[in-house]
Amino acid sequence: MSSPTPIELEALYLSLKVACWSLFATLPLGLFTAWILARKKFYGHTLLNSIVYLPLVLPPVVISFVLLAMLGRQGPIGELLYNLFGITVIFTWQGAAIASAIMSFPLMVRAIRLSIENVGTDLEDTARTLGASPIKVFYSITLPLIA
């Protein structure tokens, strides 16, 4: 078996970099969104649920076009980034990480949401009655149970 060529190693490194940045960018928002959708009922719950799962329903070409239109130099976000910071996102590894994050976000939220829904609220309620803050309850009870 031959060893990988430098080009293959570069492609592997780029893939890992995009995947890691995508994961770390979406994990906090994904945890929060999944918790909100699993534990809270509010006006607009169905709308938020629909927006979260929209990338799964729309064809990838539509999502790609919207990203190009928004993040390109003439797009609202891309123009702002270029004028303020001199950053161009389109056709860079950062753009690939953003696209990967947007496409994987619904899958992450769904998996975390199902895990949260399968955790009973008995332990969380008990911790709240003993004086634990909602953040402490999440980090000390909910998060370990869904892991």
Side-chain angles (χ1 to χ4, degrees):
M1 183 166 180
S2 63
S3 62
T5 65
I7 293 175
E8 292 170 339
L9 289 174
E10 184 180 348
L12 180 63
Y13 171 71
L14 179 64
S15 297
L16 289 173
K17 184 164 67 168
V18 166
C20 288
W21 276 99
S22 172
L23 173 70
F24 293 131
T26 57
L27 188 59
L29 185 61
L31 269 171
F32 179 72
T33 305
W35 180 78
I36 290 288
L37 289 173
R39 293 284 192 241
K40 302 294 181 188
K41 297 297 176 204
F42 54 92
Y43 185 74
H45 185 273
T46 306
L47 179 65
L48 178 62
N49 197 27
S50 300
I51 290 170
V52 166
Y53 292 117
L54 198 60
L56 291 179
V57 178
L58 292 175
V61 172
V62 173
I63 300 295
S64 301
F65 177 75
V66 170
L67 285 174
L68 282 170
M70 297 291 286
L71 298 175
R73 279 211 184 153
Q74 282 78 36
I77 298 171
E79 184 178 19
L80 182 71
L81 287 173
Y82 185 73
N83 290 338
L84 292 178
F85 306 110
I87 298 172
T88 301
V89 178
I90 294 299
F91 303 116
T92 63
W93 71 266
Q94 293 94 343
I98 291 170
S100 175
I102 288 173
M103 293 305 291
S104 66
F105 185 73
L107 301 172
M108 178 186 292
V109 169
R110 178 155 171 77
I112 296 171
R113 181 181 178 183
L114 290 174
S115 297
I116 291 173
E117 287 174 347
N118 285 329
V119 170
T121 58
D122 300 342
L123 292 174
E124 294 173 348
D125 294 339
T126 304
R128 277 191 215 96
T129 60
L130 294 172
S133 68
I135 293 174
K136 178 136 176 114
V137 169
F138 180 77
Y139 283 111
S140 63
I141 295 173
T142 309
L143 197 58
L145 287 175
I146 68 172

